[in-house]
Amino acid sequence: MSDLAKTPEATEAETAAEAAGAAAGAPAPAVDPRLLVREEGFKGYWAEFTRRVRGGELGSLPVLVGLIVIAVVFQFQNENFLSASSIANIAVYSSGLGIMAVGIVFVLLLGEIDLSVGSVAGVGAATWAVLNVNHGWPDWAAVLVAVAGGLVLGALHGFFFAKIGVPAFVVTLAGFLGWSGLQEWMMGGEGSINTPSGSIVENLTNYFFEDKAAGYGLALVAVLAYAASLLLDGRRRRAAALPARPTSEVLLRTGLVAVLCFAVAYVLNEPSGARGLPLALVLFLAVLVVADFVARRTAFGRQVFAVGGNPEAARRAGISVDRVRITVFALSGMLGAFGGLFIASLSGGATKSVGGGNTLMLVIAAAVIGGTSLFGGRGKVWSALLGMIVIQSIQQGLNMIGMANAIQYMITGAVLLAAVVIDSVSRRTQKTAGRA
């Protein structure tokens, strides 16, 4: 296990074990004894779970509990909340903002903030519309230029932050104002440009795979990929003489994922109300899978966590902190522009208001509510999915019972505050337990 991949508690336990072994004249054990809980079965897992909860390591537990509560409350208020059409709406409306939230997750892992993501989304939508509709560029070329433009804008933010030393809050606030002006200037006096029928951008949120094989096929691929990742992880751990998940656990985890995936596929394929598997959901999941692989399985991902946890320590370990920061902000800008195309697709075209309003609030709230820490160094890419589902489920449920937008904002704000409070209390608990 590399130094960057070790948790603080694992490192401390290994050090203590080595010292004890040296004092006794015996060779030091190569494995943290607490990693052997898998061999104790259910009792070991329960002991590890309670230890983590007492130590403030709550993970995604509060979000999952919140989702269950939201589903039960709104289903009780309106029996159509968990219907096929309602689930499809939540999936489609979560996709664009969720993709933007993935970029914000990486920024938050650095312990920073990006306030420009909404205006970058607006510039991305405006760039595509002007090139494709006004200047006759091929649809795919206009999309690529729009996404690449977001990457450049994000890298510019990262350059001023990493190389010049301007605080990220100030840089991205300036970007928020400046790129909003650029968006209005690009749109000109028209104010809005309608999405051409049959274009790539229109299909982002309006295309559904109506063949049932598509939904069930994607569910099968997801289950097989998850099972393969567990098996490969176990193989690597056994090759390194580390404890690995027993076959029974692999089967249990795979079975739970299979039930969830095929249940969603079944609901989306219901003939009443749903149109099949949304393309938007497929693209959102693809972004999540790639981003999760980068964050957990690459050297760059480990460097992001290291820089977010302690920039000076990361620098002394030989990590190019400036390069990591610039790359992360470039990634945020690219995903922001891509998400802006989804917003334009939902609104029927590019307008001066794309990326405005509560877009920034929802994107940052999704990352935080999903479990990514505002203090840096802790979180998962899948936080974007969980947090956005929470937000969109609340909005969908309140819309179905006829609640005003003002109430929706207040409830979303309260959920965001609760997430930050949980994060703060969790960090304080970890410090008290000596795990922070």
Side-chain angles (χ1 to χ4, degrees):
M1 186 184 298
S2 66
D3 291 338
L4 290 177
K6 292 179 181 177
T7 61
E9 57 266 35
T11 303
E12 294 170 3
E14 288 177 3
T15 302
E18 290 172 0
V31 180
D32 177 3
R34 278 176 288 186
L35 295 176
L36 298 173
V37 294
R38 296 187 177 115
E39 299 180 359
E40 300 179 11
F42 177 79
K43 179 181 178 182
Y45 279 106
W46 178 253
E48 178 68 7
F49 172 76
T50 55
R51 183 190 70 82
R52 287 178 174 273
V53 171
R54 287 196 302 267
E57 301 175 53
L58 300 179
S60 301
L61 181 62
V63 187
L64 296 177
V65 172
L67 278 174
I68 294 174
V69 172
I70 290 171
V72 171
V73 170
F74 285 122
Q75 181 66 17
F76 179 77
Q77 296 291 325
N78 189 315
E79 62 182 10
N80 293 321
F81 177 73
L82 294 179
S83 65
S85 59
S86 177
I87 298 297
N89 284 337
I90 292 174
V92 171
Y93 279 89
S94 296
S95 299
L97 295 176
I99 288 174
M100 297 167 65
V102 172
I104 293 296
V105 167
F106 278 90
V107 175
L108 292 179
L109 289 176
L110 289 181
E112 303 297 337
I113 195 68
D114 185 355
L115 301 179
S116 68
V117 65
S119 56
V120 170
V123 170
T127 300
W128 162 79
V130 170
L131 293 179
N132 177 238
V133 179
N134 292 358
H135 296 285
W137 280 41
D139 206 7
W140 61 269
V143 169
L144 289 179
V145 171
V147 175
L151 185 147
V152 172
L153 297 183
L156 186 62
H157 299 152
F159 172 80
F160 279 101
F161 167 53
K163 296 294 187 180
I164 308 300
V166 183
F169 179 89
V170 177
V171 171
T172 56
L173 178 60
F176 167 76
L177 298 173
W179 307 138
S180 296
L182 176 62
Q183 177 186 1
E184 288 197 29
W185 177 79
M186 292 178 67
M187 296 298 297
E190 298 178 359
S192 64
I193 301 176
N194 293 332
T195 305
S197 177
S199 65
I200 292 177
V201 171
E202 183 190 47
N203 288 333
L204 287 178
T205 59
N206 290 283
Y207 184 83
F208 289 74
F209 298 95
E210 297 182 359
D211 191 342
K212 293 184 177 181
Y216 290 121
L218 179 62
L220 179 61
V221 169
V223 172
L224 293 178
Y226 180 72
S229 68
L230 293 180
L231 293 174
L232 290 175
D233 180 68
R235 182 178 179 182
R236 286 193 296 266
R237 295 185 66 86
R238 281 187 290 270
L242 295 172
R245 290 186 176 94
T247 303
S248 58
E249 181 188 346
V250 172
L251 293 176
L252 177 61
R253 286 173 174 263
T254 304
L256 292 175
V257 171
V259 170
L260 175 63
C261 291
F262 281 97
V264 173
Y266 173 78
V267 171
L268 293 176
N269 281 327
E270 278 191 13
S272 58
R275 297 165 56 188
L277 176 65
L279 173 62
L281 178 61
V282 175
L283 295 175
F284 184 20
L285 293 177
V287 170
L288 284 168
V289 170
V290 173
D292 180 65
F293 177 82
V294 170
R296 296 194 303 116
R297 300 294 185 182
T298 67
F300 172 75
R302 292 191 291 272
Q303 290 170 1
V304 171
F305 281 94
V307 173
N310 191 324
E312 184 58 32
R315 183 178 289 108
R316 293 183 180 183
I319 296 174
S320 176
V321 175
D322 291 348
R323 177 182 60 82
V324 171
R325 286 171 168 171
I326 292 174
T327 303
V328 165
F329 276 91
L331 178 64
S332 177
M334 181 183 71
L335 294 178
F338 189 33
L341 300 179
F342 282 77
I343 299 176
S345 178
L346 285 171
S347 59
T351 66
K352 294 181 179 180
S353 62
V354 169
N358 61 351
T359 299
L360 175 63
M361 178 199 74
L362 293 178
V363 170
I364 296 178
V368 176
I369 291 172
T372 301
S373 175
L374 279 170
F375 304 100
R378 191 179 66 188
K380 296 181 180 179
V381 169
W382 292 92
S383 300
L385 173 65
L386 294 175
M388 191 52 66
I389 290 178
V390 168
I391 292 175
Q392 292 299 334
S393 296
I394 292 174
Q395 293 188 345
Q396 176 79 3
L398 294 177
N399 285 332
M400 294 180 73
I401 62 177
M403 198 69 69
N405 287 335
I407 303 298
Q408 297 183 25
Y409 289 156
M410 288 188 284
I411 293 178
T412 304
V415 173
L416 173 60
L417 177 61
V420 176
V421 169
I422 291 173
D423 182 34
S424 300
V425 173
S426 174
R427 290 180 67 87
R428 184 180 304 172
T429 304
Q430 289 185 47
K431 288 182 178 180
T432 303
R435 297 191 178 96

